[in-house]
Amino acid sequence: MALRCWATSDARQWFEGFSDPLCLHFSWPLVEPFTIAHVQQDMVEHEKMRLRGEAINFAVVEATDHDLVLGGASVYEVALDQGRAAAGYWLAPHARGRGLATRTLRLLVGWVFDHLELERLELTCAPDNIASQRVAERCGFAREGVLRSYLPFQGGRRDSVMFSLLPGERL
């Protein structure tokens, strides 16, 4: 697999992959019904965030076919002055069960520490998202605890498990 910038032509694959019930259970959107127009608007907003240095979003693609989207990965809440950022990822149903989430996070971690020179990378996930917790642990992230009522989520609030990784800890 590889990471590359999203293209507007990827909107349909992003929408189809992210519309999966598992993605929607653990992630946004905060709007219902979720449509391809929301993905297109997210692409515009993500580019604005990239240009401001706040976040960067990548398409996870097949190494031999960069047109085949497997999922997404992002570095967000970038605070260069504080030396930290957060990471996230998701996979479309057809990409799961092959170790791609772990490879995606390792590639993202390497890019973050090699190019952004950060001192801390955070990762949060829902307490019932055991698969994401295992991915974080396989990549060397340390579980720090549960942040109660951490974020607005699907009409309420959600707890989040906080993980962190420091440059010398990556696997």
Side-chain angles (χ1 to χ4, degrees):
M1 49 72 55
L3 300 178
R4 67 160 170 77
C5 290
W6 286 100
T8 55
S9 59
D10 296 326
R12 171 68 50 195
Q13 290 186 83
W14 177 351
F15 173 73
E16 290 172 356
F18 205 80
S19 293
D20 172 67
L22 189 63
C23 280
L24 293 177
H25 175 74
F26 290 122
S27 300
W28 288 241
L30 299 175
V31 293
E32 297 224 8
F34 178 54
T35 66
I36 196 163
H38 294 116
V39 169
Q40 293 165 331
Q41 183 58 40
D42 277 353
M43 287 180 160
V44 170
E45 292 304 314
H46 288 169
E47 180 60 10
K48 290 177 184 176
M49 291 167 62
R50 185 189 70 79
L51 292 173
R52 290 191 306 260
E54 298 170 353
I56 188 163
N57 292 273
F58 297 102
V60 178
V61 297
E62 283 284 356
T64 57
D65 181 0
H66 284 203
D67 292 328
L68 180 58
V69 174
L70 304 171
S74 61
V75 179
Y76 60 98
E77 296 180 2
V78 176
L80 294 176
D81 61 327
Q82 297 177 27
R84 66 175 172 77
Y89 50 88
W90 62 271
L91 291 177
H94 63 84
R96 295 182 194 138
R98 303 181 344 207
L100 292 175
T102 300
R103 291 200 305 264
T104 295
L105 185 56
R106 284 186 177 143
L107 191 57
L108 196 63
V109 162
W111 185 83
V112 164
F113 287 136
D114 293 344
H115 296 285
L116 298 182
E117 299 178 1
L118 298 177
E119 298 300 320
R120 176 183 168 89
L121 185 62
E122 298 173 348
L123 186 151
T124 60
C125 60
D128 60 336
N129 192 341
I130 304 304
S132 279
Q133 292 179 48
R134 288 185 179 142
V135 168
E137 290 165 349
R138 278 194 296 272
C139 293
F141 281 75
R143 180 186 169 116
E144 294 184 339
V146 176
L147 303 173
R148 299 179 311 139
S149 193
Y150 185 64
L151 53 86
F153 189 76
Q154 298 181 358
R157 294 200 60 89
R158 184 190 86 187
D159 294 351
S160 291
V161 180
M162 173 64 79
F163 289 88
S164 68
L165 184 70
L166 307 180
E169 298 171 341
R170 58 182 163 162
L171 300 179

